[in-house]
Amino acid sequence: MSHDPNCLFCKIAKGEIPSQKVYEDEEIYAFKDINPAAPIHFLMIPKKHIPMLASVEVADAPLLGKMMELAPRLAQEQGCRPGKEGGFRLVVNNGVDGGQEVYHLHLHVMGGPRPCNK
Ligand code: 5GP
Ligand code: ZN
């Protein structure tokens, strides 16, 4: 599996930098965002170092599919309400113009009550 020794999220996936773990298997790691933008906000990353969505290759498609399939389950486990009344958002920032700050592919999973719904 490819790692970048200078990559923050590779270090988090390997446990070299502490994080609040949400989920882990052999290919995927999920952890709470350090600066949450929603009541529930965690990040899902492949353990493999993929810099950004635009560097994904066809061979990575099953891994990304697995992450997408897993996201709703983890969102619910973390407290997002199920069904149409509940829900969550998935965000992938890609590149400088896309607002990406950490160059290890990650899905933002954000949910919980929105201010406008209160
Ligand atoms: P990006 O802008 O690259 O899509 O998002 C990077 C995200 O990583 C940001 O939401 C930021 O709060 C989060 N983040 C940055 N450094 C750390 C860290 O050391 N630990 C955790 N848990 N999250 C981080
Ligand atoms: Zn990395």
Side-chain angles (χ1 to χ4, degrees), residues 13-105:
K14 288 208 271 178
E16 292 172 6
I17 290 177
S19 65
Q20 281 186 273
K21 180 159 87 172
V22 165
Y23 174 85
E24 180 171 20
D25 66 27
E26 60 290 341
E27 294 182 299
I28 297 167
Y29 189 75
F31 56 104
K32 294 194 178 165
D33 196 292
I34 206 166
N35 185 21
I40 296 159
H41 186 177
F42 61 93
L43 306 173
M44 298 177 68
I45 62 172
K47 287 188 173 175
K48 173 186 175 185
H49 181 78
I50 300 173
M52 61 206 290
L53 190 62
S55 22
V56 163
E57 295 170 352
V58 173
D60 299 317
L63 172 60
L64 265 73
K66 191 175 157 185
M67 291 172 71
M68 295 289 280
E69 190 275 335
L70 186 58
R73 264 191 291 149
L74 296 186
Q76 217 171 302
E77 275 176 30
Q78 290 302 305
C80 294
R81 295 181 299 148
K84 192 175 169 229
E85 302 308 319
F88 55 88
R89 282 197 300 154
L90 283 188
V91 171
V92 178
N93 296 327
N94 185 88
V96 174
D97 285 351
Q100 186 173 6
E101 289 173 2
V102 179
Y103 281 79
H104 180 128
L105 176 64

